[in-house]
Structure formats: structure tokens, C-alpha cells
Amino acid sequence: MKKMMVLLMAMVMLFASVPMVQAEEAWKFERKVDLVCPWGVGGGADSTLRPMADLLKDILGVQVEVLNVEGGGGANGVEFTYKQPADGYTFMLGTQSLILMDLQDVFSMDYRTEFVPVAKLVHSVSIIAGSKKAMEQKGYNSFSEMVEYVKANPFQVSVGMLTATGADSLTLLQTIEGLDVMEVPYTSGSEMNSALMGGHIDMMVTGTDEISGLIESGDVVPLVACVEQRMKRYPDLECTGELGIDSFIGTWRGIYAKNGTPQAAIDAMEAAIEKASQDPKWQEFLVQGAYDERVGFEPSEGLKALEEKEYTTFSKYLNEQGLLRKPYDDISLD
């Protein structure tokens, strides 16, 4: 019995001398967080990021600043973020336009591997919108009637474009495949909107978030929504899903971190964004911006899955156009 007591005491002393492994503490932001916007002040990307930043500063308990690093169609902002330390205090807004740029080998790094998805913020619906003035002149009133008009009058309908090899171009190709229209390039959305209102172009591909005011004024007429089912906002508007057209690309925006950023910091930011996305102020922003037609917030896994899907879609598209400069070995082009 005495030997047993001595043995027990020795074991207690042994365990007492071994330091206890502490559970990893949750990440706590201790100084200002920068959210890099690779586009200018006042655009759709900036207008999405700023209300989120306002909500995040209260949740994180530190200042959250939006840094607009514009230029190069978004490339300058990506390069700037890539040069920052991966310490958990710099994040960046990303969209599918950066995927297209990566596949055209614009960046100095592999964007796909050097930036980690944190969370998706919004996902809008693309529409093909028509000029009311032009429609009255040519005599069609709907998407189906426009299709018949184009068949009878090749290259007599013009479509405004911001990017000849971007998501809007692919959306147009998918939606009116086989129809002969004339594409007209523009350098800014405001310039293209003015041209559409004045009847200088017949149609354009755009997001509902960017054109809702023009639709309400009656100067612009939505012709078809590129979405799986009819929109709540425009219940009488035809959609590609019901027409059997495989055209569902819509602008999405998400938060990314540089590869190497502490996972705890990424997890903390993801959790903060999820909490902010439930705030009534953010919900009101989604409704006002016509972002409530699709799921907005998605965690890192959801954003990653969407990103990979579009890497495949855009790889095939750019390859068909002869513009794929950086094919990834794990993406089939068949």
C-alpha cells in the first residue's frame, strides 16, 4: 500500500511538471485593417466594399479602411496587395474580372494560387437591356421579338461593350449564340449608359445593380435576365433559364487574402463578414442594389467553388477566342 502511494505521488509530480498545451486562441485584430479595392471610388466594387467596411469596424473593434488602388483594369490593386505582408491586416476585393486577367497572364504571379478566398459578399444578375428609343424605332418590344428582328436584319442591332473578352462578352455570346449583332466598345459604364438612353446603341449587357435607376425612369427596357428563374424585382421579364439558354453569369464580389495569411485571421474575417451580412443595414443595401436575387454571403468554401467553376468556364471561352495565355494543367479545355 505504501509503495502504491509513493507511485501515485510520483505520477502527480511528473504530470505537474509538464506544461499544459494551450488551445489556440481566436485571432484578435489589434490595429487597422486595410481592404484594397482594385478599382476607383464610386464604382460598383467600391460601392459594395464601403458599406461592408463600415459594419466590419464595429464587429472587429478596429478601424477598417478602404484603399482604392486603381489602374490596369484591376491589375494595380492586385500587385499592390501581393506586395503587402501576409500578416492578417490586408485583404482585397476580387471579382471574376481578375480571373480573366489571370488567364490572360496579366499578373506577375499566379492569382489563382497566391490569393485565398475568404467570403463572397454579393452576386448580381446580368441582364440584356434595350434602349426604349431604339426599340420604338425598330419595332420590337421583347427579347423574343428582338431575336426575330436580328435574324431578319443581320448586324443592324448594336450592343455596347466594356470588355471585348470579359464576362459581358461571354454573356452576350451565350445568350444570343448564332445571331449577328454589331459590338460597340466603350471605356466607361456611364458613357455606355448615356449612349443607350439616347438610342445610339440598341442594347447592352449590364448588371441590375448598375442600371435599376434607368429602368425605373423608363429610358431603358430590360429584355432578358441571365438567371435560372425569373427575378423577384422584374417578374414579367423573361429569363434564360426558362428559355433553355445556358447563360447565367452574373457579377460577384468577394474578399480575398494573400496566400500565407494566418488561417486564424482568415477565419476571423470570414466570421465577421458573415455577421455583418446579417445586419439590417447590409440587407437594405442588398435590396436597394438589386443584389437580393441571388445568394450573397458565402463562406470561403462556397467562394472557392464558384471561382473554380468560372476558371473552367473562362478558360474554355478564352481558348476558343485564341486569347488563353495561361492554361492551368488541372482545367480541361474540352
Side-chain angles (χ1 to χ4, degrees):
M1 184 69 178
K2 186 179 292 185
K3 289 182 178 180
M4 181 64 71
M5 290 297 294
V6 171
L7 179 60
L8 288 172
M9 289 180 65
M11 292 178 65
V12 169
M13 292 177 66
L14 175 63
F15 282 117
S17 66
V18 177
M20 295 296 290
V21 177
Q22 298 294 322
E24 183 180 355
E25 294 184 4
W27 181 272
K28 181 174 176 57
F29 293 95
E30 298 178 343
R31 55 184 172 84
K32 177 174 68 75
V33 173
D34 289 330
L35 299 180
V36 178
C37 179
W39 298 276
V41 176
D46 176 76
S47 299
T48 297
L49 196 54
R50 288 187 180 276
M52 175 55 67
D54 287 340
L55 295 171
L56 287 176
K57 67 182 181 181
D58 294 330
I59 296 172
L60 300 179
V62 297
Q63 183 65 27
V64 178
E65 183 177 352
V66 175
L67 298 180
N68 295 91
V69 184
E70 56 186 306
N76 290 356
V78 174
E79 296 290 352
F80 171 85
T81 307
Y82 185 63
K83 294 175 182 177
Q84 306 310 304
D87 57 4
Y89 288 90
T90 302
F91 295 84
M92 184 189 74
L93 187 76
T95 73
Q96 66 252 83
S97 62
L98 301 183
I99 294 176
L100 282 156
M101 296 176 74
D102 183 35
L103 292 171
Q104 294 176 81
D105 203 17
V106 172
F107 305 126
S108 65
M109 84 300 292
D110 286 336
Y111 174 80
R112 186 183 180 210
T113 57
E114 293 299 337
F115 285 88
V116 181
V118 178
K120 179 161 70 73
L121 303 181
V122 296
H123 195 169
S124 69
V125 173
S126 292
I127 64 171
I128 294 181
S131 164
K132 181 181 180 181
K133 186 174 182 179
M135 289 171 63
E136 289 175 346
Q137 292 174 346
K138 295 184 175 176
Y140 58 82
N141 298 291
S142 66
F143 176 75
S144 298
E145 290 180 6
M146 180 275 294
V147 169
E148 293 305 315
Y149 180 89
V150 174
K151 288 179 180 179
N153 302 274
F155 298 110
Q156 295 304 303
V157 169
S158 57
V159 183
M161 284 294 189
L162 288 177
T163 53
T165 58
D168 51 351
S169 179
L170 177 55
T171 294
L172 179 67
L173 177 65
Q174 291 177 334
T175 308
I176 61 170
E177 184 176 6
L179 297 181
D180 295 320
V181 297
M182 181 174 61
E183 297 184 16
V184 181
Y186 286 91
T187 57
S188 71
S190 59
E191 180 187 12
M192 188 165 64
N193 290 350
S194 297
L196 190 71
M197 291 172 61
H200 305 298
I201 54 174
D202 298 292
M203 301 185 301
M204 71 177 183
V205 180
T206 185
T208 49
D209 54 323
E210 299 182 23
I211 203 173
S212 56
L214 297 180
I215 293 174
E216 291 173 5
S217 71
D219 295 312
V220 171
V221 179
L223 292 173
V224 68
C226 302
V227 68
E228 292 80 2
Q229 54 190 1
R230 291 201 177 196
M231 299 175 65
K232 296 176 290 185
R233 182 175 295 250
Y234 307 117
D236 297 328
L237 179 63
E238 293 179 295
C239 68
T240 52
E242 67 184 356
L243 295 173
I245 301 172
D246 185 12
S247 177
F248 306 117
I249 296 173
T251 299
W252 51 263
R253 302 183 180 111
I255 299 297
Y256 285 77
K258 182 180 175 182
N259 193 14
T261 298
Q263 186 61 46
I266 293 174
D267 293 342
M269 179 58 72
E270 178 186 328
I273 292 172
E274 181 175 17
K275 184 175 181 180
S277 70
Q278 298 167 358
D279 190 286
K281 294 180 180 178
W282 183 255
Q283 293 297 315
E284 182 180 355
F285 163 76
L286 295 179
V287 173
Q288 291 181 345
Y291 292 119
D292 57 333
E293 299 287 346
R294 279 178 162 153
V295 174
F297 169 81
E298 284 195 82
S300 57
E301 294 84 357
L303 178 54
K304 182 64 176 177
L306 175 60
E307 180 188 68
E308 289 302 298
K309 179 181 178 182
E310 297 211 335
Y311 256 104
T312 299
T313 298
F314 292 138
S315 291
K316 293 178 179 179
Y317 168 62
L318 291 174
N319 186 55
E320 291 170 356
Q321 302 299 312
L323 296 169
L324 181 63
R325 300 288 179 263
K326 188 199 293 183
Y328 283 94
D329 293 337
D330 61 334
I331 297 179
S332 173
L333 299 178
D334 296 332

CSV table of all heavy atoms in Angstrom, one decimal, residues 128-131 135 138-154 156-159 172 175-177 179-181 202-204 223-224 238 243 245:
chain,number,residue,atom,x,y,z
A,128,ILE,N,-29.7,41.7,-70.3
A,128,ILE,CA,-29.5,42.4,-71.6
A,128,ILE,C,-30.6,43.4,-71.6
A,128,ILE,O,-31.8,43.1,-71.5
A,128,ILE,CB,-29.6,41.5,-72.8
A,128,ILE,CG1,-28.4,40.5,-72.8
A,128,ILE,CG2,-29.6,42.2,-74.1
A,128,ILE,CD1,-28.4,39.5,-74.0
A,129,ALA,N,-30.2,44.7,-71.7
A,129,ALA,CA,-31.2,45.8,-71.6
A,129,ALA,C,-31.2,46.5,-73.0
A,129,ALA,O,-30.2,46.6,-73.6
A,129,ALA,CB,-30.8,46.8,-70.5
A,130,GLY,N,-32.4,47.0,-73.3
A,130,GLY,CA,-32.5,47.7,-74.6
A,130,GLY,C,-32.8,49.2,-74.4
A,130,GLY,O,-33.4,49.6,-73.4
A,131,SER,N,-32.5,49.9,-75.4
A,131,SER,CA,-32.9,51.4,-75.5
A,131,SER,C,-34.3,51.5,-75.9
A,131,SER,O,-34.7,51.0,-76.9
A,131,SER,CB,-32.0,52.1,-76.5
A,131,SER,OG,-32.5,53.3,-76.8
A,135,MET,N,-35.8,50.7,-79.6
A,135,MET,CA,-36.8,49.7,-79.8
A,135,MET,C,-38.0,50.2,-80.5
A,135,MET,O,-38.6,49.5,-81.3
A,135,MET,CB,-37.1,49.1,-78.4
A,135,MET,CG,-36.0,48.3,-77.8
A,135,MET,SD,-36.3,47.8,-76.0
A,135,MET,CE,-37.8,46.8,-76.2
A,138,LYS,N,-37.2,50.4,-84.2
A,138,LYS,CA,-37.1,49.2,-84.9
A,138,LYS,C,-38.3,48.2,-84.8
A,138,LYS,O,-38.3,47.2,-85.5
A,138,LYS,CB,-35.8,48.5,-84.5
A,138,LYS,CG,-34.6,49.4,-84.9
A,138,LYS,CD,-33.2,48.7,-84.6
A,138,LYS,CE,-32.1,49.6,-85.2
A,138,LYS,NZ,-30.8,49.1,-84.9
A,139,GLY,N,-39.1,48.6,-83.8
A,139,GLY,CA,-40.4,47.9,-83.8
A,139,GLY,C,-40.4,46.6,-83.0
A,139,GLY,O,-41.3,45.7,-83.2
A,140,TYR,N,-39.5,46.3,-82.1
A,140,TYR,CA,-39.6,45.1,-81.3
A,140,TYR,C,-39.8,45.5,-79.8
A,140,TYR,O,-39.3,46.6,-79.4
A,140,TYR,CB,-38.4,44.2,-81.4
A,140,TYR,CG,-37.0,44.8,-81.1
A,140,TYR,CD1,-36.6,44.9,-79.8
A,140,TYR,CD2,-36.2,45.2,-82.1
A,140,TYR,CE1,-35.3,45.4,-79.5
A,140,TYR,CE2,-34.9,45.7,-81.9
A,140,TYR,CZ,-34.5,45.8,-80.6
A,140,TYR,OH,-33.3,46.4,-80.3
A,141,ASN,N,-40.5,44.7,-79.0
A,141,ASN,CA,-40.8,45.0,-77.7
A,141,ASN,C,-40.4,44.0,-76.6
A,141,ASN,O,-40.6,44.2,-75.4
A,141,ASN,CB,-42.4,45.1,-77.6
A,141,ASN,CG,-42.9,46.2,-78.5
A,141,ASN,OD1,-42.7,47.4,-78.2
A,141,ASN,ND2,-43.6,45.9,-79.5
A,142,SER,N,-39.7,42.9,-77.1
A,142,SER,CA,-39.3,41.9,-76.1
A,142,SER,C,-38.1,41.2,-76.6
A,142,SER,O,-37.6,41.4,-77.8
A,142,SER,CB,-40.4,40.8,-75.9
A,142,SER,OG,-40.6,40.1,-77.1
A,143,PHE,N,-37.5,40.3,-75.8
A,143,PHE,CA,-36.3,39.6,-76.2
A,143,PHE,C,-36.6,38.7,-77.4
A,143,PHE,O,-35.8,38.7,-78.4
A,143,PHE,CB,-35.8,38.8,-75.0
A,143,PHE,CG,-34.6,37.9,-75.4
A,143,PHE,CD1,-33.3,38.5,-75.5
A,143,PHE,CD2,-34.7,36.5,-75.5
A,143,PHE,CE1,-32.2,37.7,-75.8
A,143,PHE,CE2,-33.7,35.7,-75.8
A,143,PHE,CZ,-32.4,36.3,-76.0
A,144,SER,N,-37.7,38.0,-77.3
A,144,SER,CA,-38.0,37.1,-78.4
A,144,SER,C,-38.2,37.8,-79.7
A,144,SER,O,-37.8,37.4,-80.8
A,144,SER,CB,-39.3,36.3,-78.1
A,144,SER,OG,-39.1,35.5,-76.9
A,145,GLU,N,-38.9,39.0,-79.7
A,145,GLU,CA,-39.1,39.8,-80.9
A,145,GLU,C,-37.8,40.4,-81.4
A,145,GLU,O,-37.5,40.5,-82.6
A,145,GLU,CB,-40.1,40.9,-80.6
A,145,GLU,CG,-41.5,40.5,-80.3
A,145,GLU,CD,-42.5,41.6,-80.1
A,145,GLU,OE1,-42.0,42.8,-80.2
A,145,GLU,OE2,-43.6,41.3,-79.7
A,146,MET,N,-36.9,40.7,-80.5
A,146,MET,CA,-35.5,41.2,-80.8
A,146,MET,C,-34.8,40.1,-81.6
A,146,MET,O,-34.1,40.4,-82.6
A,146,MET,CB,-34.8,41.6,-79.6
A,146,MET,CG,-33.3,42.2,-79.9
A,146,MET,SD,-32.1,40.9,-80.0
A,146,MET,CE,-32.1,40.3,-78.3
A,147,VAL,N,-34.8,38.9,-81.1
A,147,VAL,CA,-34.2,37.8,-81.8
A,147,VAL,C,-34.6,37.6,-83.2
A,147,VAL,O,-33.9,37.5,-84.1
A,147,VAL,CB,-34.4,36.5,-81.0
A,147,VAL,CG1,-33.9,35.3,-81.8
A,147,VAL,CG2,-33.7,36.5,-79.7
A,148,GLU,N,-36.0,37.7,-83.4
A,148,GLU,CA,-36.5,37.6,-84.8
A,148,GLU,C,-36.1,38.8,-85.6
A,148,GLU,O,-35.8,38.6,-86.8
A,148,GLU,CB,-38.0,37.5,-84.7
A,148,GLU,CG,-38.6,36.2,-84.0
A,148,GLU,CD,-38.0,35.0,-84.7
A,148,GLU,OE1,-38.0,34.9,-85.9
A,148,GLU,OE2,-37.6,34.1,-83.9
A,149,TYR,N,-36.0,39.9,-85.1
A,149,TYR,CA,-35.6,41.1,-85.8
A,149,TYR,C,-34.1,41.0,-86.3
A,149,TYR,O,-33.8,41.3,-87.4
A,149,TYR,CB,-35.7,42.4,-85.0
A,149,TYR,CG,-35.3,43.6,-85.7
A,149,TYR,CD1,-36.2,44.4,-86.4
A,149,TYR,CD2,-34.0,44.1,-85.6
A,149,TYR,CE1,-35.8,45.5,-87.1
A,149,TYR,CE2,-33.6,45.3,-86.3
A,149,TYR,CZ,-34.5,45.9,-87.0
A,149,TYR,OH,-34.1,47.1,-87.7
A,150,VAL,N,-33.3,40.5,-85.4
A,150,VAL,CA,-31.8,40.3,-85.7
A,150,VAL,C,-31.7,39.2,-86.8
A,150,VAL,O,-30.8,39.4,-87.7
A,150,VAL,CB,-31.0,39.9,-84.5
A,150,VAL,CG1,-29.6,39.6,-84.9
A,150,VAL,CG2,-31.0,41.1,-83.5
A,151,LYS,N,-32.5,38.2,-86.7
A,151,LYS,CA,-32.4,37.1,-87.8
A,151,LYS,C,-32.7,37.7,-89.2
A,151,LYS,O,-32.1,37.3,-90.2
A,151,LYS,CB,-33.4,36.0,-87.4
A,151,LYS,CG,-32.9,35.1,-86.3
A,151,LYS,CD,-34.0,34.0,-86.0
A,151,LYS,CE,-33.5,33.1,-84.8
A,151,LYS,NZ,-34.5,32.1,-84.6
A,152,ALA,N,-33.7,38.6,-89.2
A,152,ALA,CA,-34.1,39.2,-90.4
A,152,ALA,C,-33.2,40.4,-90.9
A,152,ALA,O,-33.2,40.8,-92.0
A,152,ALA,CB,-35.6,39.7,-90.3
A,153,ASN,N,-32.5,40.9,-89.9
A,153,ASN,CA,-31.7,42.1,-90.2
A,153,ASN,C,-30.3,42.0,-89.5
A,153,ASN,O,-30.0,42.6,-88.5
A,153,ASN,CB,-32.3,43.4,-89.6
A,153,ASN,CG,-33.7,43.6,-90.2
A,153,ASN,OD1,-33.9,44.2,-91.2
A,153,ASN,ND2,-34.7,43.1,-89.5
A,154,PRO,N,-29.4,41.1,-90.1
A,154,PRO,CA,-28.1,40.9,-89.5
A,154,PRO,C,-27.3,42.2,-89.4
A,154,PRO,O,-27.3,43.0,-90.3
A,154,PRO,CB,-27.4,39.9,-90.5
A,154,PRO,CG,-28.6,39.3,-91.3
A,154,PRO,CD,-29.6,40.3,-91.3
A,156,GLN,N,-27.7,44.8,-87.8
A,156,GLN,CA,-28.4,46.0,-87.7
A,156,GLN,C,-28.8,46.4,-86.3
A,156,GLN,O,-29.4,47.5,-86.0
A,156,GLN,CB,-29.7,46.0,-88.5
A,156,GLN,CG,-29.5,45.8,-90.0
A,156,GLN,CD,-28.6,46.9,-90.6
A,156,GLN,OE1,-28.9,48.1,-90.4
A,156,GLN,NE2,-27.5,46.5,-91.2
A,157,VAL,N,-28.4,45.5,-85.3
A,157,VAL,CA,-28.6,45.8,-83.9
A,157,VAL,C,-27.3,45.9,-83.2
A,157,VAL,O,-26.4,45.0,-83.4
A,157,VAL,CB,-29.5,44.7,-83.2
A,157,VAL,CG1,-29.4,44.8,-81.7
A,157,VAL,CG2,-30.9,44.8,-83.7
A,158,SER,N,-27.0,47.0,-82.5
A,158,SER,CA,-25.7,47.2,-81.9
A,158,SER,C,-25.8,46.9,-80.4
A,158,SER,O,-26.8,47.2,-79.8
A,158,SER,CB,-25.3,48.7,-82.1
A,158,SER,OG,-26.2,49.6,-81.7
A,159,VAL,N,-24.7,46.4,-79.9
A,159,VAL,CA,-24.6,46.1,-78.4
A,159,VAL,C,-23.4,46.8,-77.9
A,159,VAL,O,-22.3,46.6,-78.3
A,159,VAL,CB,-24.5,44.6,-78.2
A,159,VAL,CG1,-24.5,44.3,-76.7
A,159,VAL,CG2,-25.7,43.9,-78.9
A,172,LEU,N,-23.1,37.7,-73.6
A,172,LEU,CA,-23.8,38.0,-74.8
A,172,LEU,C,-23.7,36.8,-75.8
A,172,LEU,O,-24.7,36.4,-76.4
A,172,LEU,CB,-23.2,39.3,-75.5
A,172,LEU,CG,-23.8,39.7,-76.8
A,172,LEU,CD1,-25.2,40.1,-76.7
A,172,LEU,CD2,-22.9,40.8,-77.5
A,175,THR,N,-26.0,34.1,-74.7
A,175,THR,CA,-27.4,34.4,-74.7
A,175,THR,C,-28.0,34.5,-76.1
A,175,THR,O,-29.1,34.1,-76.4
A,175,THR,CB,-27.7,35.7,-74.0
A,175,THR,OG1,-27.1,35.6,-72.7
A,175,THR,CG2,-29.2,35.9,-73.8
A,176,ILE,N,-27.2,35.0,-77.1
A,176,ILE,CA,-27.7,35.2,-78.4
A,176,ILE,C,-26.8,34.5,-79.4
A,176,ILE,O,-26.5,35.0,-80.5
A,176,ILE,CB,-27.8,36.7,-78.8
A,176,ILE,CG1,-26.4,37.4,-78.8
A,176,ILE,CG2,-28.8,37.4,-77.9
A,176,ILE,CD1,-26.5,38.8,-79.4
A,177,GLU,N,-26.3,33.3,-79.0
A,177,GLU,CA,-25.4,32.5,-79.9
A,177,GLU,C,-26.0,32.3,-81.3
A,177,GLU,O,-27.2,31.9,-81.4
A,177,GLU,CB,-25.2,31.1,-79.2
A,177,GLU,CG,-24.1,30.3,-80.0
A,177,GLU,CD,-23.8,29.0,-79.3
A,177,GLU,OE1,-24.5,28.7,-78.2
A,177,GLU,OE2,-23.0,28.3,-79.7
A,179,LEU,N,-26.5,34.7,-83.5
A,179,LEU,CA,-27.1,35.9,-84.0
A,179,LEU,C,-26.0,36.9,-84.4
A,179,LEU,O,-25.0,37.0,-83.7
A,179,LEU,CB,-28.0,36.5,-83.0
A,179,LEU,CG,-29.3,35.7,-82.6
A,179,LEU,CD1,-30.1,36.5,-81.7
A,179,LEU,CD2,-30.1,35.3,-83.9
A,180,ASP,N,-26.2,37.6,-85.5
A,180,ASP,CA,-25.2,38.6,-86.0
A,180,ASP,C,-25.6,40.0,-85.5
A,180,ASP,O,-26.5,40.6,-86.0
A,180,ASP,CB,-25.1,38.6,-87.5
A,180,ASP,CG,-24.6,37.2,-88.0
A,180,ASP,OD1,-23.7,36.7,-87.4
A,180,ASP,OD2,-25.2,36.7,-89.0
A,181,VAL,N,-24.8,40.4,-84.5
A,181,VAL,CA,-25.0,41.8,-83.9
A,181,VAL,C,-23.7,42.6,-84.1
A,181,VAL,O,-22.7,42.0,-84.2
A,181,VAL,CB,-25.5,41.8,-82.5
A,181,VAL,CG1,-26.9,41.1,-82.3
A,181,VAL,CG2,-24.5,41.1,-81.6
A,202,ASP,N,-28.3,49.9,-79.4
A,202,ASP,CA,-29.6,49.3,-79.2
A,202,ASP,C,-29.7,48.5,-77.9
A,202,ASP,O,-30.8,48.5,-77.2
A,202,ASP,CB,-29.9,48.3,-80.4
A,202,ASP,CG,-30.0,49.0,-81.7
A,202,ASP,OD1,-31.0,49.7,-81.9
A,202,ASP,OD2,-29.1,48.8,-82.5
A,203,MET,N,-28.6,47.9,-77.5
A,203,MET,CA,-28.6,47.1,-76.3
A,203,MET,C,-27.3,47.2,-75.6
A,203,MET,O,-26.3,47.7,-76.1
A,203,MET,CB,-28.9,45.6,-76.6
A,203,MET,CG,-30.2,45.3,-77.4
A,203,MET,SD,-30.5,43.5,-77.6
A,203,MET,CE,-29.0,43.0,-78.5
A,204,MET,N,-27.3,46.6,-74.3
A,204,MET,CA,-26.0,46.4,-73.6
A,204,MET,C,-26.2,45.3,-72.6
A,204,MET,O,-27.3,45.0,-72.2
A,204,MET,CB,-25.5,47.7,-73.0
A,204,MET,CG,-26.3,48.2,-71.8
A,204,MET,SD,-25.4,49.6,-71.1
A,204,MET,CE,-26.5,49.9,-69.6
A,223,LEU,N,-34.6,43.3,-71.3
A,223,LEU,CA,-35.1,42.4,-72.3
A,223,LEU,C,-35.1,40.9,-71.8
A,223,LEU,O,-36.0,40.2,-72.1
A,223,LEU,CB,-34.3,42.5,-73.6
A,223,LEU,CG,-34.4,43.8,-74.4
A,223,LEU,CD1,-33.5,43.9,-75.5
A,223,LEU,CD2,-35.9,44.0,-74.9
A,224,VAL,N,-34.0,40.6,-71.2
A,224,VAL,CA,-33.9,39.2,-70.6
A,224,VAL,C,-32.9,39.2,-69.5
A,224,VAL,O,-31.9,39.9,-69.5
A,224,VAL,CB,-33.5,38.2,-71.7
A,224,VAL,CG1,-32.0,38.5,-72.2
A,224,VAL,CG2,-33.6,36.8,-71.3
A,238,GLU,N,-38.6,37.9,-69.1
A,238,GLU,CA,-38.1,36.5,-69.4
A,238,GLU,C,-36.7,36.3,-68.9
A,238,GLU,O,-35.9,37.2,-68.7
A,238,GLU,CB,-38.1,36.4,-71.0
A,238,GLU,CG,-39.4,36.4,-71.6
A,238,GLU,CD,-39.3,36.3,-73.2
A,238,GLU,OE1,-38.7,37.2,-73.8
A,238,GLU,OE2,-39.7,35.3,-73.7
A,243,LEU,N,-36.0,29.9,-70.9
A,243,LEU,CA,-35.8,29.8,-72.4
A,243,LEU,C,-34.9,28.7,-72.8
A,243,LEU,O,-34.7,28.5,-74.0
A,243,LEU,CB,-35.3,31.2,-72.9
A,243,LEU,CG,-36.3,32.4,-72.7
A,243,LEU,CD1,-35.6,33.7,-73.1
A,243,LEU,CD2,-37.5,32.2,-73.5
A,245,ILE,N,-31.6,28.6,-72.3
A,245,ILE,CA,-30.4,29.1,-72.7
A,245,ILE,C,-29.4,29.0,-71.5
A,245,ILE,O,-29.6,29.5,-70.4
A,245,ILE,CB,-30.5,30.6,-73.1
A,245,ILE,CG1,-31.5,30.7,-74.3
A,245,ILE,CG2,-29.2,31.2,-73.5
A,245,ILE,CD1,-31.9,32.2,-74.6
